[in-house]
Amino acid sequence: VKSSVVSVDGPAAAGKTTTSLAVAEIFDMKYLESGRAYRVLAYEALRSGVDPTDPKKMVALCSKISRGDRVSELLGLNRYTAGELRSLAVGRTVSKVAGIAELRRRVTNSVHIWAAGNRRSIVEGRDIGTVVFPTAVPKFYLTASAETRARRRLAQEGSGSLKEVFEDVVRRDRADTTRSASPLVPASDAIIIDTTELSIEQVVDRMAEACGASG
Ligand code: C5P
């Protein structure tokens, strides 16, 4: 089977998950949230007291997590609850973990293995259209103002104050765009959608149109 991938990248809380799930449903594609892998690594580091900035220790932890079934354990397809992976503590730690190049290599490898089993899939993250699947078609880059994104995240998850959530969003934007390993940047051929003034339906319509056009 030839596998083809649609990529959806962009900063935290730009609406990637909600819209990607809707597009996946319309076109009967498999869906993967690659950020789960970095969250699994952050969660396990916090749980076992491993320093999330220590590449050697984090790589050892990664090997331990993926010892059984490398792909589904690391991608967080089993076991983890939303509460575990989406806590503020994990949110604060995840960008540190995501800056470690060897971990990115391993996550990328697992995503490739996952996608190879599917005819068509939609993969969401930060570096999907630039690094993980440079040949993805179409590529989307979703963004919105930081305040809008903080408000949406708070409305959806309801943990913490607006100030805390806003600060988490801004901190992660900074960490994700300035890291040396695969920084967050739109691919040169990405369709950029600023969702600040758009409804979910409007964003999904635009995405679906582009996906339909690319077969
Ligand atoms: O998408 P989500 O907000 O769950 O991602 C959590 C974190 O994982 C991001 O802030 C980023 O640091 C990291 N990430 C990444 N590359 C991806 C997906 C997520 O670096 N492809």
Side-chain angles (χ1 to χ4, degrees):
V1 242
K2 189 173 172 295
S3 78
S4 74
V5 170
V6 174
S7 63
V8 183
D9 292 301
K16 302 187 296 293
T17 305
T18 307
T19 57
S20 298
L21 281 168
V23 172
E25 178 145 6
I26 294 170
F27 293 97
D28 194 23
M29 298 183 212
K30 296 269 188 253
Y31 162 77
L32 182 71
E33 188 183 17
S34 64
R36 279 185 82 87
Y38 298 100
R39 289 178 179 274
V40 164
L41 289 161
Y43 173 79
E44 292 294 347
L46 289 170
R47 207 168 61 112
S48 50
V50 170
D51 175 359
T53 64
D54 184 326
K56 253 199 165 133
K57 294 203 172 116
M58 284 306 300
V59 168
L61 179 67
C62 182
S63 298
K64 212 162 122 193
I65 293 168
S66 38
R67 194 158 44 205
D69 173 350
R70 183 157 57 122
V71 173
S72 45
E73 289 301 321
L74 183 55
L75 297 181
L77 303 179
N78 316 324
R79 284 197 302 130
Y80 299 94
T81 66
E84 288 169 338
L85 297 187
R86 308 208 70 90
S87 69
L88 275 171
V90 167
R92 287 196 191 98
T93 308
V94 68
S95 300
K96 297 177 189 157
V97 166
I100 299 175
E102 173 60 16
L103 294 180
R104 304 200 65 85
R105 208 186 56 72
R106 291 180 177 214
V107 171
T108 298
N109 194 36
S110 295
V111 175
H112 285 166
I113 294 169
W114 176 87
N118 307 322
R119 190 185 57 83
R120 201 164 187 221
S121 44
I122 183 161
V123 183
E124 159 198 344
R126 300 291 188 288
D127 62 342
I128 305 305
T130 50
V131 174
V132 182
F133 293 108
T135 60
V137 189
K139 294 178 184 178
F140 296 103
Y141 187 90
L142 265 49
T143 184
S145 74
E147 188 179 334
T148 300
R149 291 185 285 122
R151 285 189 191 286
R152 286 180 188 161
R153 180 133 294 179
L154 191 64
Q156 191 178 25
E157 283 164 23
S159 72
S161 65
L162 179 61
K163 185 165 175 287
E164 274 177 318
V165 177
F166 179 80
E167 282 168 2
D168 179 54
V169 162
V170 171
R171 179 176 40 238
R172 278 208 283 144
D173 285 358
R174 197 180 312 122
D176 291 346
T177 54
T178 58
R179 67 170 173 242
S180 57
S182 315
L184 171 66
V185 58
S188 58
D189 53 347
I191 300 169
I192 299 178
I193 306 177
D194 185 331
T195 71
T196 307
E197 306 285 343
L198 299 178
S199 67
I200 292 168
E201 292 73 26
Q202 286 173 314
V203 179
V204 171
D205 282 352
R206 285 195 196 183
M207 292 170 76
E209 202 181 323
C211 287
S214 79

